[in-house]
Amino acid sequence: KAGVTQTPRYLIKTRGQQVTLSCSPISGHRSVSWYQQTPGQGLQFLFEYFSETQRNKGNFPGRFSGRQFSNSRSEMNVSTLELGDSALYLCASSLGGGPTDTQYFGPGTRLTVL
Amino acid sequence: GQNIDQPTEMTATEGAIVQINCTYQTSGFNGLFWYQQHAGEAPTFLSYNVLDGLEEKGRFSSFLSRSKGYSYLLLKELQMKDSASYLCAVNYGGSQGNLIFGKGTKLSVKP
């Protein structure tokens, strides 16, 4: 079974631009969660999607948004990029997103904002 | 907030045993996960505890005490490839959206 894939793997943008990241979950997984990872803050939850609906949202500004498609693929968008948005963005998929479900992470997208 | 605390860094010798501790706030606890993350790679699942006690899986074991808000990951017969960050994550109920991660413990295994 193929793992979680994320595209692109690396991205360089400038302040004020916007960016869209893509995540394809493991086949059969319906829950996709997004995280931001930085050296100072560690892994921080952005949002979770299940069956095309945002089910949970972390404590990030409205510039961070996402969506999920009917095939469970998900995208996240960051508008008006700031220097502090430079981070590794990870997505993780699980079967149903329940509390005991194991999340499987993709390799991440390394975003650098100049 | 729901802080997850773990040591920032640890060093151990190849072949030895190391214990990585994790403490968390107990209110709303609904399960604890350990993940391993090698530099530049995605986190990979190691273990899940929801009941008190020890879960053993090969060279790795994970322990949980719900009343104390405490868990540890025990790595035996350390190998160089075990050099990685180890992330403790607690589910505070509901779906994956309530999974809170610690900042990770960077383990360095020396020959």
Side-chain angles (χ1 to χ4, degrees), chain A residues 6 9 20 31-32 37 62 71 87 96 102 104:
Chain A
Q6 292 185 245
R9 292 293 312 278
T20 299
S31 169
V32 174
Q37 187 174 33
N71 62 357
T102 298
Y104 296 88

Side-chain angles (χ1 to χ4, degrees), chain B residues 24-27 29 50-53 63-71:
Chain B
Y24 61 89
Q25 291 177 283
T26 59
S27 177
F29 174 83
V50 67
L51 299 176
D52 289 349
F63 171 84
L64 177 69
S65 168
R66 289 174 296 172
S67 62
K68 294 182 180 177
Y70 168 69
S71 172

Side-chain angles (χ1 to χ4, degrees), chain A residues 33 35 37 40-41 43 45 48 55-56 90 94 97-103 105-107, chain B residues 30 33 35 37 40-43 45 48 87 91 93-99 101-103:
Chain A
S33 295
Y35 296 86
Q37 187 174 33
Q41 297 299 318
L43 261 167
F45 171 75
E48 183 220 356
R55 193 157 62 173
N56 286 287
L90 292 160
S94 66
T100 60
D101 286 353
T102 298
Q103 291 189 81
F105 285 83
Chain B
N30 198 28
F33 295 81
Y35 283 84
Q37 186 177 25
E41 297 182 14
F45 169 77
Y48 170 70
L87 309 174
N91 186 290
S95 68
Q96 298 294 334
N98 288 316
L99 195 64
F101 280 82
K103 293 185 180 179

Side-chain angles (χ1 to χ4, degrees), chain B residues 10-111:
Chain B
M10 297 183 72
T11 303
T13 305
E14 194 176 14
I17 299 172
V18 71
Q19 177 175 310
I20 302 174
N21 297 325
C22 171
T23 57
Y24 61 89
Q25 291 177 283
T26 59
S27 177
F29 174 83
N30 198 28
L32 184 145
F33 295 81
W34 282 97
Y35 283 84
Q36 178 191 59
Q37 186 177 25
H38 285 100
E41 297 182 14
T44 55
F45 169 77
L46 288 177
S47 68
Y48 170 70
N49 295 72
V50 67
L51 299 176
D52 289 349
L54 189 68
E55 294 278 344
E56 296 186 80
K57 195 185 287 187
R59 294 189 299 114
F60 292 8
S61 304
S62 57
F63 171 84
L64 177 69
S65 168
R66 289 174 296 172
S67 62
K68 294 182 180 177
Y70 168 69
S71 172
Y72 67 72
L73 181 69
L74 193 70
L75 291 75
K76 303 176 188 174
E77 300 168 18
L78 280 172
Q79 302 175 9
M80 300 298 289
K81 67 178 182 180
D82 297 329
S83 292
S85 285
Y86 292 85
L87 309 174
C88 172
V90 175
N91 186 290
Y92 282 102
S95 68
Q96 298 294 334
N98 288 316
L99 195 64
I100 308 297
F101 280 82
K103 293 185 180 179
T105 299
K106 185 178 179 181
L107 174 66
S108 298
V109 180
K110 309 287 187 190

Side-chain angles (χ1 to χ4, degrees), chain A residues 15-89:
Chain A
R15 278 182 299 175
Q17 287 187 307
Q18 68 96 26
V19 67
T20 299
L21 312 181
S22 180
C23 172
S24 292
I26 291 171
S27 177
H29 285 193
R30 296 171 64 191
S31 169
V32 174
S33 295
W34 287 90
Y35 296 86
Q36 181 194 67
Q37 187 174 33
T38 58
Q41 297 299 318
L43 261 167
Q44 291 186 287
F45 171 75
L46 281 157
F47 26 67
E48 183 220 356
Y49 286 88
F50 180 82
S51 292
E52 302 179 66
T53 301
Q54 186 180 88
R55 193 157 62 173
N56 286 287
K57 189 177 191 306
N59 193 24
F60 278 81
R63 300 185 296 108
F64 292 81
S65 62
R67 59 178 175 168
Q68 187 180 35
F69 301 95
S70 58
N71 62 357
S72 294
R73 190 177 70 85
S74 177
E75 288 181 347
M76 68 162 279
N77 185 77
V78 188
S79 62
T80 320
L81 284 166
E82 300 177 0
L83 294 179
D85 297 333
S86 294
L88 180 67
Y89 290 88

